[in-house]
Amino acid sequence: MTRSFLGWPAFPEAAEREVGNRQLRENVRRATHTIRGKRAVLAAERPDWEALRDAAAGIKDQVLANLESHLLQVEEKVTAAGGTVHWARDAAEANRIVTDLVRATGEREIVKVKSMLTEEIGLDAALEAAGINARETDLAATIVQLGDDLPSHVVVPALHRNRTEIRDIFVREMGRHGRPAPEGLTDEPAELAEAARLHLREKFLGAKVAVSGANFLVAETGTLVVVESEGNGRMCLTLADTLISVVGIEKTVPSWQDLEVFLQLLARNATGERMAPYTSTWTGLGPSKGADGDGPQTFHLVLVDNGRTRALADPTGRQALRCIRCGACMNICPVYERTGGHAYGSVYPGPIGAILNPLLKGLDDPQTASLPYASTLCGACNEVCPVRIRFTDVLLDLRAQVADGGKHPVERAALGAVGGVMEHQAAWKAAVKSIGLVGPLLLPRKIRLPGPLGGWTDSRTVPAIPRESFRTWWKRTEGDAK
Amino acid sequence: MPPNDPGPRTALFVTCLNDTLFPGTGRATVTLLRRLGVEVDFPPAQSCCGQMHFNTGYRKETAKLARHFVDTFGGYDRIVVPSASCAGMPAEAYPQAAVGDPGLAREVAELAPRVVELTEYLTDRLGVVEVGAYFPHRVTYHPTCHSLRATRLGERPYRLLRAVSGIDFVELPAQDECCGFGGTFSVKNPAVSGAMNGDKARHVLETGVSVLAAVDNSCLMNIGGRLNRDGHPVRTLHLVEILARTEQDGPMPGLPVVEGAR
Ligand code: SF4
């Protein structure tokens, strides 16, 4: 059975469990710090870095403001180039369309190019239910799939695994799904990569159908773009007879000139490389419409909404749709560093997950409503996002939506106690009460408070209350310290 | 300045946290500013800036506190704040809280540029770095997230600290990482907050200092609470409490004195 995030607990609960996992914390800390460092060096290398970020944000905003016309242009161009365009309102519709398309080919085993959208909609599980085995071909995605695990990062889905764990998964699982791991496999990265290469090669050569996502959709020509490091994507995109690309509607950029901006930002910000090793582009079946026998003979593009128009309707939140899934916000996030990605209960973890999931799904579910609070508002993400998403603004706005929704009655009673007459102590006390501090402040040290306040005193003592407040001192001395 | 011009009217917004729990920070601010020739006024009507309300999502309540802030401080030319995060409220949060109240929005826009964080006030408005302070102890500094990425104090606090006579200043490893406080975050997500705070406390201990300084007592309360719970004698002090001390005061009681300091 394919694992899923369905029914996942709210962030505090899930996070507490993950934080307690020392191995996981060490794996995530190492990985995030490594990518963080590489990114910082490569971003600093470009004198026009800030200007590129401005341009990228501006282009995405312009696309989002005119999404409909850009998408219609995509449809026209893809159709003219021999492809078929499908529109899916939600995950169920998208899964049904893809399942029907694969069924029509009669194939039972297909290959996939790593795609967060297909993870978001749970495509693998839907295909599995229809008796179709979809095999991942990206190394990290393969590790997650073989381990019957869930992705924890948008660029490196197996970021939470170290190489020893990966070796064990390969040894245990590869044989059950095809070519087994070589005898005596060690946890040397080169050996692990070779084992994956051998295992996957069989899949590429045998597959007649491939499913991909896309990093960008160039509207002026209807061209799809996949950016990757390993070349597995290129193999799937060119070897299969039938190619089905499932793409979120926000992936559109107007022109190739606009694409240039994103290609300069993406690899540097995502993996700390000057350029991604493989950038594949294709337009329908190409000018020959597949008549030359080269590449796929059938191409389908499934355009997916699944909450994106809902996010678009949120004036502050819509900037989350600028995201190009570079992963930099999770790599820099001190919360993600301690919890890993699974705590966010979604394939989109970290800062972008904390805002995007509530925007896509709404705030009615306690799990999504907990996400805007999964941040200290430290603002580190604001500084690395290539499309200048102001996470802190969106988080605060979503918190206001949660607060207005009356989801926290106790907290509202405390913080809502701002009367017409502004009595200093009252407002302050209300504030501290809301964060559970007023209790500890009045209590002796080394005590554990009951209920929701216990967490604070688990790891800290609280300061003693001074005998004289500042304002009493001022009244007494008029500020004369001597 | 003409002979009869009393100069800019300067108010101290001490912040509710400092008033109640860290009055020493307020006293040190007054002492330091007097030494530098600035008479501050303390309008007693002042209350809470509403940061906790705003950060938890309570915008209407924040608007009420913004209205009160504007009424209390509207008559001053400068409002000095010994807290980077509270100092940022009028410029960063009040405009959003005032959405739908154009009158308040106008007054906020007019007042916000006059509200200034203490170290910025010292270096940029008064133009001083050497403030005549003496502090013969080993000190490190944690740049709180707000002071680093919102108020953008940059080098200012470091310049002030390095100019202190007798000080042994040590850089904090991984200093730009959040301490995990985040107000409401530390209560809603105590386990994650505790993990972040634990790492911060470990870095502080690596420096071997006797004092950790910052420009936000909320973060210091968080880190200090951890150090204290684990039995480490490191003191946490708002930076102004270091700047306010002079040679006359001598070393701070209870702290090891740095070798070679006068
Ligand atoms: S939100 Fe920004 S930093 Fe985070 S993954 Fe998306 S583009 Fe990258």
Side-chain angles (χ1 to χ4, degrees):
Chain A
M1 213 4 242
T2 313
R3 281 183 75 200
S4 90
F5 284 114
L6 268 179
W8 209 254
F11 184 82
E13 199 186 317
E16 184 169 358
R17 195 179 56 205
E18 304 291 304
V19 166
N21 183 340
R22 278 176 169 269
Q23 182 63 64
L24 172 88
R25 250 168 81 185
E26 180 52 24
N27 295 351
V28 178
R29 193 193 64 80
R30 256 173 198 250
T32 53
H33 280 249
T34 306
I35 316 178
R36 223 184 259 185
K38 283 165 74 181
R39 189 213 80 97
V41 171
L42 286 204
E45 217 177 61
R46 293 284 308 237
D48 56 349
W49 188 253
E50 298 306 321
L52 280 170
R53 293 175 72 203
D54 287 337
I59 293 165
K60 278 287 183 180
D61 280 352
Q62 191 262 321
V63 167
L64 293 170
N66 304 284
L67 196 52
E68 190 182 320
S69 65
H70 289 302
L71 289 171
L72 290 172
Q73 193 179 17
V74 166
E75 182 179 42
E76 182 199 320
K77 299 289 177 183
V78 170
T79 310
T84 310
V85 177
H86 310 259
W87 301 80
R89 258 174 300 236
D90 54 22
E93 214 167 83
N95 287 334
R96 197 168 59 241
I97 292 167
V98 178
T99 308
D100 288 348
L101 289 171
V102 178
R103 266 214 190 107
T105 66
E107 292 297 315
R108 313 293 284 186
E109 180 157 313
I110 68 170
V111 287
K112 279 184 72 198
V113 185
K114 175 180 158 282
S115 136
M116 294 319 294
L117 175 62
T118 60
E119 299 277 2
E120 172 192 330
I121 62 177
L123 179 65
D124 289 7
L127 289 170
E128 190 180 295
I132 298 155
N133 184 7
R135 301 311 297 174
E136 296 292 345
T137 60
D138 167 89
L139 177 55
T142 301
I143 295 163
V144 168
Q145 189 177 43
L146 286 173
D148 192 21
D149 201 350
L150 288 162
S152 70
H153 190 279
V154 296
V155 175
V156 194
L159 181 128
H160 57 293
R161 295 290 189 195
N162 65 28
R163 48 196 232 205
T164 311
E165 292 170 300
I166 294 167
R167 188 210 86 103
D168 293 347
I169 292 169
F170 279 8
V171 169
R172 197 177 64 229
E173 299 291 337
M174 274 183 169
R176 299 179 47 211
H177 300 277
R179 184 177 172 137
E183 281 292 316
L185 180 67
T186 73
D187 64 2
E188 277 307 306
E191 277 194 40
L192 294 172
E194 185 58 21
R197 202 172 280 132
L198 294 170
H199 179 81
L200 292 171
R201 187 145 305 238
E202 268 188 13
K203 309 282 175 202
F204 294 128
L205 295 176
K208 300 263 186 292
V209 180
V211 170
S212 85
N215 294 87
F216 305 99
L217 204 49
V218 185
E220 67 176 349
T221 51
T223 303
L224 283 81
V225 183
V226 161
V227 180
E228 48 147 353
S229 299
E230 297 167 15
N232 63 297
R234 176 77 54 84
M235 299 264 261
C236 294
L237 298 171
T238 50
L239 286 173
D241 293 338
T242 300
L243 174 61
I244 305 167
S245 298
V246 192
V247 183
I249 54 177
E250 84 286 14
K251 295 282 167 189
T252 318
V253 296
S255 68
W256 283 78
Q257 207 177 353
D258 299 314
L259 178 67
E260 177 202 8
V261 172
F262 295 97
L263 292 184
Q264 292 181 77
L265 286 164
L266 182 55
R268 279 177 196 264
N269 222 54
T271 48
E273 296 167 298
R274 294 198 174 83
M275 200 183 160
Y278 296 87
T279 301
S280 304
T281 72
W282 71 100
T283 307
L285 294 171
S288 71
K289 307 236 167 60
D292 57 0
D294 196 24
Q297 303 299 301
T298 315
F299 172 62
H300 295 276
L301 171 61
V302 185
L303 291 168
V304 183
D305 181 336
N306 204 34
R308 282 151 181 76
T309 49
R310 171 187 204 136
L312 197 55
D314 186 308
T316 305
R318 66 171 64 119
Q319 59 186 298
L321 295 175
R322 293 179 196 154
C323 174
I324 57 171
R325 311 282 187 261
C326 74
C329 56
M330 41 210 91
N331 299 333
I332 201 83
C333 179
V335 175
Y336 178 93
E337 181 185 334
R338 272 65 180 200
T339 65
H342 294 163
Y344 296 80
S346 157
V347 301
Y348 305 117
I352 185 63
I355 60 175
L356 187 61
N357 292 302
L359 287 161
L360 293 176
K361 301 180 206 163
L363 289 160
D364 292 336
D365 180 336
Q367 198 275 330
T368 49
S370 73
L371 291 175
Y373 298 92
S375 163
T376 62
L377 304 174
C378 85
C381 43
N382 291 342
E383 308 208 320
V384 296
C385 178
V387 288
R388 285 203 197 281
I389 294 173
R390 289 277 313 171
F391 297 89
T392 42
D393 289 353
V394 181
L395 288 164
L396 285 165
D397 194 74
L398 289 168
R399 289 180 186 189
Q401 293 180 33
V402 174
D404 284 345
K407 293 277 187 283
H408 299 139
V410 177
E411 186 178 273
R412 166 152 295 282
L415 286 175
V418 179
V421 184
M422 211 40 54
E423 219 276 300
H424 157 86
Q425 294 282 353
W428 152 234
K429 273 193 184 139
V432 285
K433 205 166 167 186
S434 75
I435 65 157
L437 278 178
V438 91
L441 295 178
L442 303 171
L443 289 161
R445 291 169 181 225
K446 302 238 177 194
I447 190 165
R448 190 180 197 282
L449 291 161
L453 306 186
W456 221 85
T457 46
D458 271 352
S459 66
R460 314 163 179 81
T461 58
V462 290
I465 297 230
R467 278 191 303 276
E468 188 178 49
S469 71
F470 176 81
R471 69 181 54 228
T472 317
W473 173 79
W474 178 273
K475 216 166 161 183
R476 185 167 63 76
T477 64
E478 299 240 318
D480 187 356
K482 302 296 164 199
Chain B
M1 193 186 290
N4 292 327
D5 187 336
R9 285 197 359 115
T10 307
L12 169 66
F13 171 49
V14 75
T15 80
C16 56
L17 182 74
N18 289 332
D19 182 12
T20 322
L21 284 180
F22 302 98
T25 296
R27 292 199 300 269
T29 307
V30 175
T31 305
L32 174 65
L33 292 183
R34 282 221 168 130
R35 197 166 82 218
L36 298 172
V38 179
E39 269 310 315
V40 282
D41 196 4
F42 177 79
Q46 63 182 270
S47 80
C48 171
C49 68
Q51 187 185 168
M52 185 62 70
H53 302 75
F54 186 74
N55 285 354
T56 315
Y58 294 87
R59 297 210 164 169
K60 284 190 212 75
E61 292 72 16
T62 311
K64 289 185 194 169
L65 291 162
R67 159 55 55 206
H68 184 70
F69 189 93
V70 166
D71 291 346
T72 309
F73 291 105
Y76 290 92
D77 303 307
R78 297 266 182 281
I79 299 99
V80 181
V81 191
S83 157
S85 54
C86 301
M89 281 293 290
E92 296 154 23
Y94 287 0
Q96 294 176 65
V99 167
D101 183 347
L104 179 59
R106 211 176 317 112
E107 287 179 73
V108 161
E110 205 260 317
L111 180 65
R114 289 185 266 141
V115 182
V116 54
E117 186 278 333
L118 176 66
T119 59
E120 188 178 343
Y121 176 73
L122 294 173
T123 58
D124 296 25
R125 312 270 171 125
L126 296 184
V128 290
V129 173
E130 153 67 61
V131 296
Y134 174 69
F135 198 79
H137 309 287
R138 178 175 277 205
V139 177
T140 193
Y141 174 79
H142 165 58
T144 62
C145 296
H146 212 98
S147 68
L148 189 67
R149 287 178 278 264
T151 322
R152 296 200 182 275
L153 293 181
E155 281 297 305
R156 293 179 183 91
Y158 299 89
R159 281 163 54 210
L160 287 162
L161 276 174
R162 287 208 169 92
V164 170
S165 154
I167 201 167
D168 177 11
F169 181 74
V170 191
E171 292 255 342
L172 181 64
Q175 52 183 316
D176 53 2
E177 277 189 31
C178 178
C179 74
F181 178 59
T184 185
F185 178 80
S186 61
V187 169
K188 289 192 198 271
N189 291 289
V192 190
S193 172
M196 292 164 70
N197 197 16
D199 288 341
K200 181 59 75 178
R202 184 167 45 78
H203 289 310
V204 172
L205 293 173
E206 281 163 17
T207 62
V209 295
S210 43
V211 171
L212 167 69
V215 290
D216 272 296
N217 275 327
S218 50
C219 306
L220 284 177
M221 180 171 76
N222 183 46
I223 309 165
R226 176 59 176 253
L227 290 165
N228 181 290
R229 202 229 31 187
D230 293 350
H232 302 295
V234 179
R235 285 271 288 276
T236 50
L237 284 178
H238 190 287
L239 183 141
V240 73
E241 294 181 56
I242 293 173
L243 299 184
R245 294 188 72 86
T246 62
E247 210 138 350
Q248 273 173 332
D249 299 322
M252 194 154 192
L255 291 183
V257 175
V258 173
E259 283 293 316
R262 289 168 303 127

